[in-house]
Amino acid sequence: VVKEDTSFPKVLQASFRGRFLRGQNISLPDDVSGFALRKRKAADGMLKMEPVCKFSKLSYWNHDSKPTKSDATPRAMEWFEVSEILHNARP
């Protein structure tokens, strides 16, 4: 009997310019939003960043290796929780 491993999210597969990629989708925490930005030149000549779209999920990719919880992107997501603990700590 083969059981599906539900403890690990679905692995995505793709190729880009002949390179095999494996990735996974990651949801941002409920109180966090991501934004895609673009540069815009303001009337005063300064470069400004303006939001183009908002997202709550992202995909990250590895070359030839299966995604793991120790990859840089999932580990970076842990900092949202660490930051909340640090900023809400009471002396």
Side-chain angles (χ1 to χ4, degrees):
V1 175
V2 177
K3 285 185 154 183
E4 185 177 324
D5 182 5
T6 57
S7 65
F8 195 79
K10 182 179 176 183
V11 175
L12 306 172
Q13 296 183 9
S15 63
F16 181 69
R17 295 184 179 174
R19 301 249 354 228
F20 185 62
L21 303 172
R22 291 184 181 169
Q24 105 182 61
N25 291 325
I26 296 179
S27 294
L28 298 176
D30 290 336
D31 57 341
V32 174
S33 295
F35 292 90
L37 304 173
R38 98 172 125 212
K39 289 183 196 177
R40 178 179 68 81
K41 198 169 192 177
D44 61 3
M46 298 288 291
L47 283 179
K48 307 258 180 176
M49 301 298 283
E50 66 180 8
V52 177
C53 66
K54 182 178 174 180
F55 58 90
S56 60
K57 295 179 184 177
L58 59 93
S59 299
Y60 83 95
W61 300 92
N62 289 337
H63 295 279
D64 300 325
S65 63
K66 192 174 182 179
T68 67
K69 292 179 182 179
S70 62
D71 289 339
T73 302
R75 289 182 60 205
M77 295 295 125
E78 294 173 5
W79 279 103
F80 292 116
E81 185 177 343
V82 171
S83 175
E84 185 175 336
I85 292 168
L86 290 174
H87 291 284
N88 292 327
R90 305 231 188 259

